[in-house]
């Protein structure tokens, strides 16, 4: 443990000591990148729910990855929907977005959904997969 003299000298010299800075930075990076919340194919022909925020929480959606695992181009749709809402054009994050064969699209940002809100998606082909990441909002 540092003595009071060491702390005062460090402060006078403009040095800030933070215990566990590596862990703190890793935690910040993980939050910004998002913890995986859901992954898989969403289906075709209509919206299906990828992730629902627990009723007693709120969640910051920070990362969504869309991957076309086929050589055939496709389109995809993703909506961020408030509790009681319906997925569609009015709450679309992506709407009829094209994705080439064997391509991955990544969205990063921060959209907070309250409890009961959900992420819904679908694609024109079952070969399009989705991964949703985030953390407490």
């Amino acid at each position: 443990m540092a003595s009071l003299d060491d702390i005062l000298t460090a402060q006078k010299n403009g040095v800030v000591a933070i215990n566990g800075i590596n862990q703190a930075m890793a935690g910040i990076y993980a939050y910004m990148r998002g913890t995986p919340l859901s992954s898989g194919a969403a289906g075709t022909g209509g919206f299906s729910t990828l992730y629902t925020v627990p009723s007693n929480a709120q969640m910051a959606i920070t990362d969504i990855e869309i991957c076309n695992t086929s050589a055939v181009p496709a389109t995809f749709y993703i909506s961020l929907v408030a509790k009681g809402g319906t997925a569609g054009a009015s709450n679309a994050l992506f709407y009829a977005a094209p994705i080439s064969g064997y391509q991955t699209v990544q969205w990063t940002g921060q959209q907070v959904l309250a409890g009961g809100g959900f992420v819904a998606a679908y694609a024109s082909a079952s070969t399009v997969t989705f991964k949703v990441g985030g953390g407490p909002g």
Side-chain angles (χ1 to χ4, degrees), residues 40-48 50 74-77 121-130:
T44 60
F47 283 100
S48 61
L50 296 176
T75 56
F76 65 93
Y77 303 74
Y122 77 97
S124 62
S126 61
T127 57
V128 178
T129 62
F130 299 86

Side-chain angles (χ1 to χ4, degrees), residues 4-93:
L4 181 57
D5 286 336
D6 291 340
I7 293 170
L8 293 174
T9 300
Q11 188 175 23
K12 180 179 90 178
N13 293 331
V15 176
V16 177
I18 301 174
N19 290 333
I21 188 71
N22 289 339
Q23 287 179 321
M25 293 304 293
I28 291 169
Y29 175 76
Y31 176 77
M32 291 176 68
R33 174 80 164 87
T35 300
L37 301 172
S38 171
S39 63
T44 60
F47 283 100
S48 61
T49 301
L50 296 176
Y51 175 75
T52 301
V53 179
S55 61
N56 60 346
Q58 66 178 20
M59 192 64 64
I61 306 301
T62 58
D63 181 65
I64 300 176
E65 295 175 8
I66 307 95
C67 181
N68 186 355
T69 62
S70 166
V72 179
T75 56
F76 65 93
Y77 303 74
I78 300 175
S79 286
L80 303 177
V81 187
K83 179 181 179 179
T86 302
S90 65
N91 47 29
L93 183 62

